[in-house]
Amino acid sequence: MDKLRAFLLGLTRRQKRAFQVVTDVILVWFALWMAFVVRLGVDELVNPFADYLWLFLSATVVAIPLFIRFGMYRAVMRYFGNDALITIIKAVSLSALMLALIVYWSSSRQPLVPRSIIFNYWWLSLVMIGGLRLAMRQYFLGDWFTAAQHVPFTSRDDGLPKVAIYGAGAAGNQLVAALRMGRLMRPVAFIDDDSNIAERVISGLHVYKPKHIQQMIDVTGAQQILLAIPSANRTRRREILSFLEGFGLHVQSVPGFMDLASGRVKVDDIQEVDIADLLGRDSVPPQEELLEHCIKEQSVLITGAGGSIGSELCRQILALRPTTMLLYEHSEFNLYSILQELEQRIVRESLSVKLLPILGSVRNQEKLLDIMQTWHVDTVYHAAAYKHVPMVEHNIAEGLLNNVMGTLSTAQAALRANVANFVLISTDKAVRPTNVMGSTKRLAEMTLQALSREVAPVLFGEHTNVSRVNKTRFTMVRFGNVLGSSGSVIPLFHKQIKSGGPLTVTHPRITRYFMTIPEAAQLVIQAGSMGQGGDVFVLDMGEPVRIVELAEKMVHLSGLSLRSEKNPHGDIAVEFTGLRPGEKLYEELLIGDNVVATQHPMIMSANEDYLPWDVLKARLGELLLAVDQDDYSRVRQLLRDTVSGYTPDSEIVDWIYQQRRLEP
């Protein structure tokens, strides 16, 4: 059978079509002959081929051209579906109708044909032609019983992983069809909340209620559960995942509704459970006027365009139809990656956006000024920064120069070029920081706050005392961790689970705020359209999440068990490594309590203290001098004096400077 299947599949397209045409001719004749048998019976049946040869030839001449015209020989048997069945019904019905007309016109010249023959011919042709194609589909798929698993005596073990589908709707049925064709997994059951379809059979699979999942596991031997509920909101998905966590099965899902609708993925693109579903917070629909205010038909510059937040900003900004997008990035590979993605999308969607990739550092103020003036930039989204806390803690000079001086250089270039809007991407680690990274980001915020209060400031680094007229509206947007960003704990946990563990968590009580990258970028764009200048906007991050609980949920939903003192034979352990240098147990979003609501329910405006520009400018000069002199004790003191709430938990030491001190 396998050799015959391989032989048939190996035929050329022309050979396959010829084979189908010959088969259909035989089926048409057989259906017509059986129509006589049904009408006259075997005893009274004469030789129809002798008496009604004209009728058999007419049936063939009518049917085959119609079958060709309706495209029945263009369909691929392995992917034969409902649309092909409808086509067969139309073609066979029309051929039977035309044959009836031929019989009527020939009644005076040919032997009498009983009227019921045509009706019998019609339904017999449907059964034979359609039925054979359905049978051949199952034959080419290599599994005659995939659609009959509830039928007694047909179950068998083919060695494929057995999976249950949560959701018996359209997505669930598409997923079942895709799994059967791919033959990588074997669907064995549906699970659905709808009581109207519970205990029924859909696509050959029994539908179980959620409360009967354990019974389903016992009966079918399911090893995995695939979530096929792309339209469900995150709150509902979190409830389902929490319920499934107790069954010890590996849970995966099909993509979300927006990913399916956008065409980026298909139903059968199975993936690990989106960690955002575990948080269970639904995003708020964007306000179009806020999204478009600083972007539509304008020239936009994104610094750090290849980073986690920067690249997502690029994706969303592109959809808002700017005239020009300037991607500014110091990493060649990151810039190449986002450029390729955006160029493909521009071609695919026929967008009229000028896309310009520029390699450079945000510390180069003159280059930034030249770019902004040349391309008449209207809005700058400043996402370029070093954000990894332990890394920046021991690379203090680079952290200060990139996060503080880089922001200052970009902001001053924007001011000199009369850029209308400047939006800084900040972090919750800027609030009462215990690390260098957080203190540098707060200092960057303070720089923009001070600049925004000056109508005509004398810029840092200029010794001519020439004032610059400030026409730029500076705003800052502060939020917590984003899921899946570079350095995020989530990809690390996935990697550790795949390698067999252990999962490393710094402290049992450590918590963090989380938000998806697309949601954060969308809110950043909307927040940047609000305010008068100098505003610090804070995104509503929901409730903080305990990292150890997140780790445990990821282990359970991978179908594994936790190894602990109570369960020494578990699959994966969670180990506590201790807080890293500069790391806090809890993150905060506000320095004080002065926060007011805005027109967007997910965005708040914070009233934060700042230093006057002249005072801050002098402090920045001292910091830069201390860095040049490798005087990190002085750097530490200046940061403590400048950044409100900065309390380093240990002496800060730059690795390069430390090595110099150790050398004789």
Side-chain angles (χ1 to χ4, degrees):
M1 295 293 285
D2 290 338
K3 289 182 179 179
L4 178 60
R5 185 186 301 115
F7 170 75
L8 292 174
L9 291 174
L11 295 175
T12 64
R13 180 180 297 179
R14 181 170 294 182
Q15 290 171 328
K16 290 176 181 177
R17 286 183 175 178
F19 182 79
Q20 285 181 283
V21 170
V22 171
T23 303
D24 281 346
V25 169
I26 295 171
L27 289 176
V28 166
W29 285 356
F30 186 62
L32 193 53
W33 181 77
M34 285 297 298
F36 278 96
V37 173
V38 172
R39 172 64 179 83
L40 303 175
V42 177
D43 295 333
E44 298 183 22
L45 182 66
V46 293
N47 185 356
F49 289 101
D51 300 330
Y52 296 99
L53 179 61
W54 65 274
L55 186 60
F56 282 83
L57 293 176
S58 298
T60 305
V61 170
V62 168
I64 299 304
L66 279 174
F67 292 174
I68 294 172
R69 181 66 183 84
F70 274 82
M72 286 173 53
Y73 303 116
R74 292 196 297 268
V76 180
M77 286 296 177
R78 282 171 290 175
Y79 307 115
F80 189 82
N82 294 336
D83 53 343
L85 279 176
I86 293 172
T87 300
I88 289 174
I89 293 172
K90 291 178 180 178
V92 170
S93 299
L94 186 58
S95 69
L97 180 61
M98 291 182 68
L99 187 62
L101 292 174
I102 291 173
V103 169
Y104 174 75
W105 289 330
S106 306
S107 59
S108 61
R109 300 186 300 275
Q110 302 294 345
L112 182 65
V113 178
R115 285 173 293 182
S116 60
I117 292 293
I118 300 301
F119 176 75
N120 291 337
Y121 165 73
W122 171 72
W123 69 262
L124 284 167
S125 295
L126 284 178
V127 171
M128 292 180 184
I129 294 172
L132 179 63
R133 280 164 167 77
L134 287 173
M136 293 304 292
R137 180 185 69 175
Q138 294 302 113
Y139 173 69
F140 286 127
L141 288 174
D143 190 351
W144 291 95
F145 302 111
T146 52
Q149 290 175 228
H150 64 292
V151 179
F153 313 115
T154 62
S155 61
R156 62 189 182 89
D157 187 4
D158 51 12
L160 298 177
K162 296 177 180 178
V163 298
I165 314 297
Y166 200 115
N173 279 274
Q174 290 179 51
L175 181 58
V176 167
L179 292 176
R180 286 171 173 168
M181 289 179 185
R183 293 187 56 76
L184 295 176
M185 298 178 179
R186 183 177 183 81
V188 294
F190 275 121
I191 306 165
D192 203 282
D193 302 317
D194 188 352
S195 58
N196 294 322
I197 61 174
E199 308 304 327
R200 301 179 72 176
V201 174
I202 297 177
S203 295
L205 303 179
H206 189 86
V207 183
Y208 291 85
K209 294 180 180 179
K211 65 181 180 180
H212 297 150
I213 287 182
Q214 188 58 55
Q215 176 190 345
M216 180 274 297
I217 296 171
D218 297 336
V219 171
T220 65
Q223 301 157 293
Q224 292 180 238
I225 292 181
L226 303 181
L227 295 183
I229 45 174
S231 60
N233 59 36
R234 284 199 185 130
T235 302
R236 178 59 187 145
R237 292 171 76 90
R238 182 181 63 174
E239 292 173 356
I240 292 171
L241 289 171
S242 298
F243 177 70
L244 295 177
E245 192 180 344
F247 293 98
L249 297 180
H250 187 189
V251 180
Q252 293 179 293
S253 70
V254 300
F257 178 78
M258 292 307 297
D259 290 327
L260 292 172
S262 66
R264 290 196 295 265
V265 292
K266 297 174 294 190
V267 166
D268 55 324
D269 288 333
I270 298 169
Q271 59 192 19
E272 293 298 327
V273 170
D274 189 347
I275 215 66
D277 293 336
L278 295 180
L279 305 182
R281 194 181 63 148
D282 293 313
S283 57
V284 174
Q287 298 179 15
E288 291 299 324
E289 67 278 7
L290 292 179
L291 281 177
E292 297 178 348
H293 180 71
C294 298
I295 295 173
K296 189 174 183 179
E297 297 180 356
Q298 298 184 45
S299 179
V300 182
L301 169 67
I302 304 100
T303 70
S308 304
I309 290 293
S311 60
E312 183 60 31
L313 280 171
C314 291
R315 295 183 191 101
Q316 298 199 21
I317 288 170
L318 183 64
L320 297 171
R321 303 297 197 276
T323 56
T324 308
M325 277 182 65
L326 300 114
L327 316 181
Y328 196 78
E329 173 64 56
H330 78 285
S331 167
E332 182 184 33
F333 177 75
N334 287 353
L335 183 60
Y336 171 78
S337 299
I338 188 62
L339 176 66
Q340 289 291 104
E341 179 185 334
L342 297 181
E343 283 181 337
Q344 291 173 8
R345 184 172 164 192
I346 286 174
V347 172
R348 185 171 63 249
E349 300 178 15
S350 301
L351 302 177
S352 58
V353 179
K354 185 182 290 294
L355 201 60
L356 299 166
I358 304 172
L359 279 170
S361 169
V362 290
R363 303 180 203 172
N364 191 338
Q365 184 175 155
E366 295 305 316
K367 180 173 183 174
L368 286 164
L369 175 62
D370 190 28
I371 292 167
M372 293 178 192
Q373 289 178 334
T374 302
W375 295 101
H376 307 289
V377 172
D378 299 293
T379 303
V380 174
Y381 290 96
H382 183 54
Y386 290 140
K387 307 180 187 73
H388 195 274
V389 170
M391 200 73 73
V392 176
E393 197 69 11
H394 294 300
N395 290 274
I396 301 162
E398 284 300 307
L400 279 164
L401 293 173
N402 198 64
N403 293 358
V404 180
M405 304 312 295
T407 300
L408 176 64
S409 296
T410 310
Q412 291 194 155
L415 190 149
R416 293 167 64 188
N418 294 323
V419 171
N421 309 292
F422 187 102
V423 183
L424 170 68
I425 314 301
S426 191
T427 171
D428 57 354
K429 294 173 179 60
V431 178
R432 282 182 278 275
T434 59
N435 51 68
V436 174
M437 193 280 281
S439 64
T440 58
K441 291 297 288 183
R442 175 58 189 144
L443 200 50
E445 289 181 357
M446 294 172 67
T447 300
L448 298 192
Q449 286 178 288
L451 273 176
S452 67
R453 298 299 191 274
E454 297 292 325
V455 177
V458 176
L459 301 184
F460 182 86
E462 292 191 349
H463 306 290
T464 57
N465 290 327
V466 175
S467 299
R468 304 273 185 173
V469 177
N470 185 1
K471 297 181 179 180
T472 304
R473 184 174 60 90
F474 294 100
T475 56
M476 295 132 274
V477 186
R478 187 188 292 162
F479 55 91
N481 297 273
V482 287
L483 297 170
S485 66
S486 56
S488 170
V489 71
I490 308 303
L492 175 63
F493 284 167
H494 277 305
K495 184 178 178 181
Q496 290 175 338
I497 289 172
K498 286 182 179 180
S499 62
L503 269 62
T504 53
V505 179
T506 55
H507 194 281
R509 290 187 289 115
I510 193 168
T511 64
R512 289 292 181 265
Y513 291 100
F514 285 103
M515 179 179 281
T516 65
I517 295 177
E519 183 182 7
Q522 189 180 83
L523 290 172
V524 163
I525 293 172
Q526 293 175 89
S529 300
M530 298 189 291
Q532 302 302 313
D535 307 85
V536 178
F537 292 107
V538 180
L539 303 187
D540 181 356
M541 300 291 295
E543 296 298 320
V545 178
R546 287 186 65 198
I547 301 300
V548 66
E549 291 180 359
L550 197 60
E552 291 171 355
K553 285 181 179 291
M554 290 180 67
V555 170
H556 291 148
L557 292 172
S558 297
L560 304 171
S561 59
L562 278 170
R563 189 187 313 146
S564 62
E565 293 181 0
K566 296 181 179 179
N567 184 24
H569 302 295
D571 300 305
I572 292 182
V574 174
E575 292 184 358
F576 299 104
T577 59
L579 292 175
R580 297 172 294 183
E583 194 168 39
K584 297 168 68 174
L585 273 179
Y586 313 103
E587 298 292 359
E588 305 166 273
L589 288 168
L590 296 170
I591 297 175
D593 298 323
N594 300 321
V595 61
V596 294
T598 68
Q599 63 194 87
H600 196 289
M602 300 287 286
I603 303 172
M604 300 172 289
S605 179
N607 185 12
E608 308 282 30
D609 294 333
Y610 68 97
L611 293 176
W613 174 239
D614 289 338
V615 176
L616 183 63
K617 191 167 58 169
R619 199 68 55 85
L620 291 175
E622 293 180 58
L623 264 174
L624 202 56
L625 180 62
V627 169
D628 287 340
Q629 296 175 347
D630 289 334
D631 188 354
Y632 290 98
S633 296
R634 178 65 177 155
V635 168
R636 182 176 190 248
Q637 189 58 47
L638 285 168
L639 287 174
R640 293 192 67 175
D641 293 343
T642 308
V643 177
S644 175
Y646 174 50
T647 52
D649 58 359
S650 61
E651 181 183 358
I652 59 175
V653 177
D654 189 287
W655 276 336
I656 298 175
Y657 174 63
Q658 184 183 42
Q659 184 62 28
R660 286 179 186 169
R661 287 198 308 173
L662 295 176
E663 291 176 354

